Amino acid sequence: PGLAWAGNHGLELAWPVAAPAPGAAKAAGATLGEMAGWVHPGAIGARGGLEVVARAPQLSSWPGVWVEDKRLTLTVHYRQAGPEVGPKLGELLAGIVKRRPDIELCRGKMSYEVRPRLGWDKGRAVLRLVRELAPQGGWGLFYAGDDETDDDALRAVRRLPDPSVGIMVGRGGEGPADFCLQDTDDLLEVLEALAAERPWHARGPAK
């Protein structure tokens, strides 16, 4: 309860409906604990292009390569095939995608992402959630990611006012993050320290 989430590179979002201030009128039809949802209106239209990629016989017959169908996007994984497969797989996918104006290809972590060509990414999703959850400002955002597709979100976080911060996990310090951590154990340590210092629901200065 109280958590917002984004899926499919921000093409679908959900956030909790805020409880009204004492004496204020509640949003029409909204009750405490309800979630508001949003799906990018152009995402469904690209389903045909995604299916062309998902059904490509070259992928189904490639050992160690498998397609994860997320409905609004695809992830083509090659971790089980080994990193040497990456360049050849990328060339194959690029050849398929270039014939479809409705989809685009992006690199991921030992994977390739195929998503609707909408000019939308994790960074725009972050900014949309900020507008929905804190339109008046007054709070900071903590973003952590370990994938190249997180770079858009990390750049967006840099445009937000302090104390917002972006963390890159792994990748040897690459990417537009404010800070870099070696692995998820380090991230857990940071999160535990933050939780001990200031509860997530606190509004005033830490005590």
Side-chain angles (χ1 to χ4, degrees):
L3 293 179
W5 60 265
N8 279 313
H9 300 273
L11 292 173
E12 51 185 343
L13 309 173
W15 59 90
V17 175
K26 153 177 100 168
T31 60
L32 182 61
E34 285 186 351
M35 298 290 288
W38 177 87
V39 176
H40 195 294
I44 301 299
R47 181 62 197 175
L50 297 177
E51 289 183 355
V52 168
V53 177
R55 296 175 180 175
Q58 304 97 313
L59 297 180
S60 60
S61 62
W62 199 324
V65 173
W66 63 282
V67 179
E68 182 182 3
D69 190 340
K70 303 176 182 177
R71 190 173 62 91
L72 299 180
T73 65
L74 300 176
T75 301
V76 183
H77 299 272
Y78 62 91
R79 183 181 301 276
Q80 297 174 2
E84 66 277 4
V85 168
K88 291 183 179 180
L89 179 60
E91 290 178 8
L92 170 65
L93 291 170
I96 299 173
V97 169
K98 73 178 181 181
R99 298 192 292 269
R100 299 288 312 196
D102 53 343
I103 56 177
E104 62 183 3
L105 182 67
C106 303
R107 285 188 60 88
K109 192 173 184 180
M110 295 294 286
S111 65
Y112 287 94
E113 306 285 343
V114 185
R115 60 193 186 190
R117 189 185 298 274
L118 297 170
W120 190 262
D121 51 47
K122 292 181 180 180
R124 293 177 183 269
V126 165
L127 298 178
R128 172 67 189 265
L129 283 176
V130 168
R131 290 199 303 270
E132 296 293 345
L133 294 170
Q136 307 303 321
W139 67 293
L141 184 144
F142 182 100
Y143 187 98
D146 66 348
D147 196 278
E148 291 182 39
T149 60
D150 290 302
D151 286 357
D152 296 316
L154 292 168
R155 281 188 283 267
V157 171
R158 281 192 164 182
R159 304 207 305 267
L160 297 175
D162 291 338
S164 296
V165 62
I167 306 290
M168 175 56 67
V169 181
R171 290 180 57 194
E174 297 178 3
D178 298 301
F179 301 98
C180 298
L181 299 176
Q182 183 174 350
D183 51 35
T184 53
D185 289 338
D186 288 345
L187 176 61
L188 179 60
E189 185 176 342
V190 169
L191 292 174
E192 288 176 341
L194 289 174
E197 175 68 19
R198 178 173 177 167
W200 69 270
H201 59 276
R203 295 300 182 190
K207 304 202 176 176

